[in-house]
Amino acid sequence: MRSIVLTDSQFEIAFQVTYQATNFDELRLRKLGITPDDLEWLIVALRSAHDEVDRAAKVRIEFQDPSPEGERDVASAATMPHESDPADVVRIGLPAVWASRWPLLTELVMSSLSHRELFLRTGYQWHEMESAVQRLEGAS
């Protein structure tokens, strides 16, 4: 199982950049192996963890192999507590395929929109987004 650790602000930035992909047409997403339903699922899974992340200093995202029932079932593992984690760490489970898909998705967004456009859409500076997105690449 692969995992990455983000600060709460890096998680929020990665979420905001990811959310911008909802404005892209289906063909661009499919070239990355992502359907609109896949993207919607990822957004919902990340958003479902948002309240827990607000109370944490760090977020551990674990990319897990799918259960026999299918990869989307791993979403039920979002914000799963683990006794070995400090109290200020939230653990989020995502299907293993997102370890490679998520960085590609954020790269598409960041390469397709200008620095100014991304700032206007997310409220974050380019260097902040670049730093957070680079952390996602460590999982693939």
Side-chain angles (χ1 to χ4, degrees), residues 7 10 13 25 40-41 43-44 48 55 75 81 95 98 101 126:
T7 65
Q10 288 172 327
I13 292 166
D25 65 34
E40 181 180 351
W41 181 90
I43 297 292
V44 168
S48 71
R55 295 188 287 267
W98 285 107
R101 287 182 183 172
W126 179 262

Side-chain angles (χ1 to χ4, degrees), residues 33-94:
I34 300 169
T35 67
D37 286 344
D38 293 336
L39 177 59
E40 181 180 351
W41 181 90
L42 178 63
I43 297 292
V44 168
L46 296 175
R47 187 178 284 141
S48 71
H50 200 267
D51 288 342
E52 293 296 320
V53 171
D54 283 346
R55 295 188 287 267
K58 295 191 180 199
V59 180
R60 176 182 305 281
I61 300 173
E62 295 182 343
F63 298 95
Q64 307 164 344
D65 291 327
S67 68
E69 292 81 37
E71 74 178 38
R72 291 184 186 217
D73 293 337
V74 180
S76 64
T79 67
M80 58 191 170
H82 192 274
E83 64 275 355
S84 66
D85 286 333
D88 64 345
V89 174
V90 170
R91 184 181 291 207
I92 299 171
L94 293 177

Side-chain angles (χ1 to χ4, degrees), residues 4 99 103-104 106-107 130 132-140:
I4 56 171
L104 292 173
T106 56
E107 182 180 314
E130 191 172 45
V133 166
Q134 286 175 350
R135 297 287 301 141
L136 299 179
E137 293 170 1
S140 58

